[in-house]
Amino acid sequence: MSNEAASVVRLSLSRAFAAISAAEEELGRIDAAAGDGDHGSAMVRGFRAATAAADTAGTAGQVLVQAGTAFADAAAGASGALIGMLLTTIGQSLPDDQIDAIAMHRALAAGLKAVQRLGKAQPGDKTMVDTLDPFIRAYGEAAASGATLVAAWRSALPAAEQGAQSTAEMISRRGRSSRLGERSRGHLDPGAVSMLYVLRAVGEALLE
Ligand code: ADP
Ligand code: MG
């Protein structure tokens, strides 16, 4: 069982790597509007390293911890540390046996909490949190009403998309783009968009 879950984690990471690689230029362009333009390349570096590190024996949780550590080392920058922390914390929070929808919700919530502890971003600050927070809420509601992990994940994707879209109207209060203040309005947040692509890619991997 745990071996099967570890395989799903490896597949999810490689689907995320593929999706982020395909979006590398787009993410760089979005980051260039209010940041320094490196978000696409940073995410590609992070997921390349995470995918390589995931090619190891172990439980789903152990694979995610390895992947998160590699992500943070390789991607550097704000998003590297934050997504590395997200993956590692989800990995540490997953049970070794039976990963059901509720257990995954606990792990996702712990991951978001760790990201917020590290980066101090609240919803509305124009960051990846604006995608993650509504996704995890919608996921949690579906899981609590009995949906399977796969069904809950897929049903929460529209909330992630709305969250990512909503960053266009926000003023950045965290990270590099916060220096622009009011002028950061009118642009999507790159980290919110890449997080949406990752969540979608995992949703695809879960169907396989
Ligand atoms: P850098 O800002 O170091 O160039 P990236 O360009 O790779 O790093 O990532 C920028 C993204 O990181 C932002 O779009 C935002 O989503 C996310 N981010 C930056 N700072 C924070 C923070 N304190 N909390 C949450 N997310 C953040
Ligand atoms: Mg950047």
Side-chain angles (χ1 to χ4, degrees):
M1 180 67 209
S2 69
N3 276 348
E4 199 187 305
S7 303
V8 175
V9 167
R10 285 187 205 97
L11 184 67
S12 298
L13 288 166
S14 68
R15 290 292 178 272
F17 179 35
I20 290 297
S21 298
E24 179 175 357
E25 266 186 59
E26 180 200 359
L27 294 171
R29 234 182 300 120
I30 298 175
D31 191 28
D36 57 358
D38 68 346
H39 187 60
S41 58
M43 291 291 288
V44 168
R45 274 201 312 280
F47 273 111
R48 182 179 292 121
T51 312
D55 191 12
T56 174
T59 63
Q62 289 165 343
V63 169
L64 273 170
V65 169
Q66 297 288 331
T69 306
F71 194 106
D73 287 347
S79 61
L82 291 161
I83 294 174
M85 174 63 83
L86 177 67
L87 298 176
T88 302
T89 307
I90 293 172
Q92 288 166 341
S93 309
L94 284 174
D96 289 339
D97 49 359
Q98 205 59 36
I99 299 174
D100 60 15
I102 301 287
M104 179 56 85
H105 180 246
R106 275 194 215 108
L108 289 169
L112 173 59
K113 203 169 161 194
V115 165
Q116 292 190 267
R117 204 179 316 121
L118 179 63
K120 311 271 180 279
Q122 295 300 319
D125 286 350
K126 196 175 179 107
T127 70
M128 62 178 77
V129 169
D130 293 303
T131 300
L132 274 173
D133 182 71
F135 174 80
I136 295 171
R137 263 173 222 283
Y139 175 96
E141 280 164 25
S145 55
T148 64
L149 193 161
V150 179
W153 195 284
R154 297 195 60 88
S155 75
L157 289 172
E161 183 170 348
Q162 274 182 23
Q165 281 295 344
S166 73
T167 62
E169 292 317 310
M170 293 174 186
I171 295 172
S172 171
R173 289 198 199 84
R174 293 285 162 199
R176 208 177 284 279
S177 58
S178 62
R179 289 186 242 153
L180 281 189
E182 181 65 44
R183 281 182 297 138
S184 64
R185 206 199 290 276
H187 306 287
L188 289 164
D189 176 65
V193 174
S194 63
M195 186 56 66
L196 171 63
Y197 293 169
V198 169
L199 296 172
R200 277 187 188 153
V202 174
E204 294 297 315
L206 289 174
L207 283 185
E208 290 178 32

